């Protein structure tokens, strides 16, 4: 069984996934997988360099993400090409890693689970949910960034109401960390009870 765990920036996905991990549940982070498939020396990075030129790779052999973002921002063709290259690789890698986790279920953590259609890989989805004011306050404190920058990221993500409508389960994370832990534990027990065997 694969559970998708999502929520906007600063909602508490990492905090929630740490609780699941403490219960012995394997969590695969979609953002980490997306970085790994274009890590130094990968065939995907070679293909990107061939299309965009060697300047897209830094002297250290890493992908120059800022430059790539700029290139695809101005070229829908390049963007489509890149997505056709990376999306199947990312999905395959996520499924491989999820299958390697111990039973009875594993978790795919993805901030853009719904935006990127990744819920199709999941049996159920869990939304970690907080109002925008809490997102802003927690992210500003965590990342030492300004309100405008946080708000821009919030605005680029799917609205809270749309995510609430899509998710199977919703954990409200406006309370204490202990409340979050209790909510995760309750859901964990539910998933264990629901799983076959
Ligand atoms: P996300 O992974 O969704 O971006 P995080 O799990 O990093 O969010 O949480 C954002 C910030 O809020 C972190 O600094 C985290 O420690 C803090 N946080 C998360 N849940 C709570 C909570 N219930 N009470 C207080 N702080 C919290």
């Amino acid at each position: 069984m694969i559970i998708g765990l999502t929520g906007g920036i600063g909602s508490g996905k990492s905090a929630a996934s740490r609780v699941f991990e403490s219960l012995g549940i394997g969590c695969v982070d979609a953002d980490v997988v997306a970085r790994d498939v274009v890590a130094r020396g990968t065939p995907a990075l070679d293909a990107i360099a061939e299309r965009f030129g060697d300047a897209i790779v830094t002297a250290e052999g890493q992908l120059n993400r800022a430059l790539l973002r700029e290139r695809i921002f101005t070229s829908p063709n390049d963007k489509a090409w890149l997505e056709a290259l990376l999306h199947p690789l990312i999905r395959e890698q996520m499924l491989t890693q999820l299958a390697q986790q111990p039973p009875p279920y594993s978790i795919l953590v993805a901030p853009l689970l719904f935006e990127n259609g990744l819920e199709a890989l999941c049996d159920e989805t869990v939304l970690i949910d907080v109002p925008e004011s809490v997102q802003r306050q927690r992210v500003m404190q965590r990342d030492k960034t300004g309100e405008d920058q946080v708000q821009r990221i919030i605005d680029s993500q799917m609205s809270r109401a749309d995510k609430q409508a899509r998710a199977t389960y919703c954990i409200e994370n406006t309370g204490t960390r202990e409340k979050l832990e209790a909510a995760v534990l309750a859901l964990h027990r539910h998933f264990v009870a629901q799983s076959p065997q």
Side-chain angles (χ1 to χ4, degrees):
M1 188 159 69
I2 299 175
I3 307 294
L5 179 69
T6 191
I9 181 171
S11 58
K13 291 176 299 297
S14 309
S17 60
R18 278 195 295 275
V19 183
F20 279 109
E21 277 172 344
S22 76
L23 296 165
I25 298 305
C27 295
V28 174
D29 186 322
D31 286 351
V32 173
V33 173
R35 275 199 298 276
D36 285 352
V37 299
V38 289
R40 184 180 163 162
T42 53
L45 186 56
D46 288 345
I48 290 169
E50 203 168 296
R51 173 139 186 144
F52 293 91
D54 288 338
I56 210 84
V57 180
T58 66
E60 292 77 37
Q62 308 287 349
L63 178 61
N64 183 337
R65 287 168 187 286
L67 185 58
L68 184 62
R69 256 198 308 275
E70 206 175 288
R71 293 285 300 268
I72 62 172
F73 187 71
T74 53
S75 165
N77 276 345
D78 283 336
K79 183 166 188 268
W81 178 88
L82 188 69
E83 285 173 355
L85 171 75
L86 296 183
H87 286 185
L89 283 176
I90 294 169
R91 272 163 196 259
E92 189 189 297
Q93 188 55 35
M94 285 189 306
L95 287 173
T96 302
Q97 290 187 20
L98 286 162
Q100 288 165 349
Q101 305 307 315
Y105 69 95
S106 54
I107 292 190
L108 175 63
V109 186
L112 302 179
L113 187 84
F114 297 123
E115 287 89 334
N116 289 341
L118 296 173
E119 80 268 34
L121 306 181
C122 304
D123 299 290
E124 318 249 38
T125 55
V126 177
L127 174 68
I128 309 296
D129 190 39
V130 294
E132 284 191 13
S133 56
V134 176
Q135 280 182 282
R136 280 195 297 271
Q137 177 209 325
R138 287 187 181 160
V139 175
M140 281 162 61
Q141 198 168 28
R142 182 191 66 186
D143 300 345
K144 312 279 175 258
T145 51
E147 188 162 358
D148 290 354
Q149 205 179 334
V150 181
Q151 191 61 45
R152 262 199 303 279
I153 298 173
I154 292 174
D155 291 343
S156 75
Q157 300 183 334
M158 186 183 282
S159 78
R160 194 180 163 201
D162 284 347
K163 281 189 278 217
Q164 284 169 342
R166 284 173 167 79
T168 333
Y169 302 95
C170 188
I171 292 182
E172 196 236 67
N173 185 27
T174 48
T176 60
R177 288 170 198 278
E178 289 71 28
K179 268 193 86 176
L180 174 65
E181 275 174 34
V184 169
L185 180 60
L187 205 50
H188 168 73
R189 290 191 172 134
H190 170 75
F191 290 143
V192 171
Q194 193 180 287
S195 65
Q197 89 246 324

